[in-house]
Amino acid sequence: MKQVLQKYLKNNKQNIENIWRTLHSMPEKAFEEHRTSKYLGDKLEEMGFLTVRGIGGTGLTGTYDTGIKGPVVGIRADMDALEHSFPDGNKMQHTCGHDANCAMVLGAAESMSVLNLVKRGKLKIIFQPAEETLDGAREMINSGELSDLDYLLGIHLRPEYELVYGQISPSVMHSAKSSVRVLFGGKESHASRMDLGVNAAEVASMSVVRAGMIHFDPRFCHSAKATKISSDNKAGNVVPSRAEIEFDLRSESNEHLENMEEKLMQTLEQTAESFGATANFDWSERTPAARNYKEIQDLVRQAITELVGNEGVASPIKTTGAEDFHLYAERIEGLQSVMLGIGADVNPGLHMVNMEFNQEVLVLGAQALALSAMDIFDISRKE
């Protein structure tokens, strides 16, 4: 049956590529994926999936329910695009490949439905908004529509320096991420009498320097850096009383990230105090690191080995990139999840203007997802 599946998807190549072209032609911002969501929902209904729309505004699910007790296996893709600056203004583009992710997931869904490959349990297709802002998964989870999931698959194009076309990794191990806006409060004065004021801009500048001197545990892959800095001063001859910095922190370990946050706050509070200033912190909600679920990862490895051979199976990818995909397993009790990484000769790179990739990957990715889902359903049946 697996060979039948692979052949079906190979013969369905033109349709999958047409889906991608349609999605590519209508890039939309996070939580504004209205046309994308409608198109994907209509496609799922044509395939016989029961859809629930409007989750978090634009998210949706499609369920293929056999009516027979069994596992609930989800396959998820993200829908949003990125905004880029051009000489004639800002424009949206699919430079992270979410249009490709959706096309691969929809291709896998269609093949499993048409070939009647789900014999028990449920197959649940998930199209999520707002991955780029790391907010969409939270909305999907809070809806309660995914609380019955047992297993969850995802897929994403990987940059060329990690994987090339024909290579698939059974797991992308994203890092945990948090960000914080730090508001420094000083005291305004005339620029000629700095002795009468507390320069919040100087406090902010020194905070960037001292943050860079923090020694975090080197056993964990991590990064910490300032990404924005500003003051409220409109005049150049006034010592500013307020300044703001945004810091981005990442670590492969959730616990290590918490330690990084504590050290950063302590350092910035001490820096502000040494100037006679104050520091207030506004933290974003943390995005968790990927967990290693051996059972589902082994099943995916088995499936992609059958598809691309041992030479095409790459090692798990460790990255300081973050993905809210991993929030599902953290928030949904008993859920095992894994995100496949797939090589696509991405050029010049993800999140870069006019990003291109080898479109042959659309069929390969759909095959990898469908075969992985088949193995999950099969092992659950044997149990």
Side-chain angles (χ1 to χ4, degrees), residues 95 234 249 263 278 317 344-345 364:
T95 55
K234 298 295 189 292
L249 287 78
K263 283 190 173 183
T278 59
I317 295 169
D345 298 334
L364 187 64

Side-chain angles (χ1 to χ4, degrees), residues 197-219:
V198 176
N199 192 332
E202 289 184 347
V203 180
S205 299
M206 184 56 68
S207 294
V208 173
V209 174
R210 290 185 177 171
M213 298 170 66
I214 300 173
H215 296 299
F216 298 115
D217 191 334
R219 293 174 297 173

Side-chain angles (χ1 to χ4, degrees), residues 12 22 38 59 62 87 96 143 197 223 225 232 234 256-257 261 274 291 314 322 335 341 348 365 374 382:
N12 204 31
T22 301
K38 183 181 185 308
C96 196
S143 73
S223 72
K225 83 289 291 182
D232 65 350
K234 298 295 189 292
H256 183 241
L257 183 64
E261 292 171 352
S274 70
R291 296 182 183 181
L335 174 63
M374 281 184 67
K382 291 175 182 177

Side-chain angles (χ1 to χ4, degrees), residues 201-254:
E202 289 184 347
V203 180
S205 299
M206 184 56 68
S207 294
V208 173
V209 174
R210 290 185 177 171
M213 298 170 66
I214 300 173
H215 296 299
F216 298 115
D217 191 334
R219 293 174 297 173
F220 298 94
C221 180
H222 67 271
S223 72
K225 83 289 291 182
T227 55
K228 293 180 183 178
I229 185 167
S230 63
S231 78
D232 65 350
N233 203 354
K234 298 295 189 292
N237 59 352
V238 176
V239 170
S241 62
R242 290 163 57 91
E244 186 176 301
I245 304 179
E246 186 164 330
F247 284 91
D248 177 284
L249 287 78
R250 299 165 187 257
S251 174
E252 65 178 282
S253 160
N254 293 323

Side-chain angles (χ1 to χ4, degrees), residues 14-29 32-44 47 58 60 77-82 92-108 125-128 357 359 362:
Q14 191 63 53
N15 181 46
I16 297 174
E17 289 183 353
N18 287 340
I19 290 170
W20 171 76
R21 289 190 187 93
T22 301
L23 294 169
H24 191 72
S25 70
M26 49 187 185
E28 296 171 296
K29 191 179 295 187
E32 297 179 13
E33 310 95 333
H34 300 288
R35 294 172 63 201
T36 302
S37 180
K38 183 181 185 308
Y39 175 79
L40 293 169
D42 290 348
K43 285 289 186 182
L44 283 173
M47 298 173 190
T58 52
L60 70 148
D78 33 18
M79 299 185 291
D80 53 330
L82 288 160
M92 302 301 299
Q93 280 194 352
H94 270 298
T95 55
C96 196
H98 293 183
D99 48 350
N101 300 344
C102 288
M104 290 185 283
V105 168
L106 202 59
I125 304 302
I126 302 156
F127 290 115
Q128 177 202 305
F357 65 94
Q359 293 172 27
L362 298 173

Side-chain angles (χ1 to χ4, degrees), residues 19 29 53 60 91 98 163 171 178 221 245 287 332 361:
I19 290 170
K29 191 179 295 187
R53 308 194 191 207
L60 70 148
K91 296 179 183 178
H98 293 183
L163 299 174
S171 179
S178 64
C221 180
I245 304 179
T287 302
I332 299 174
V361 79

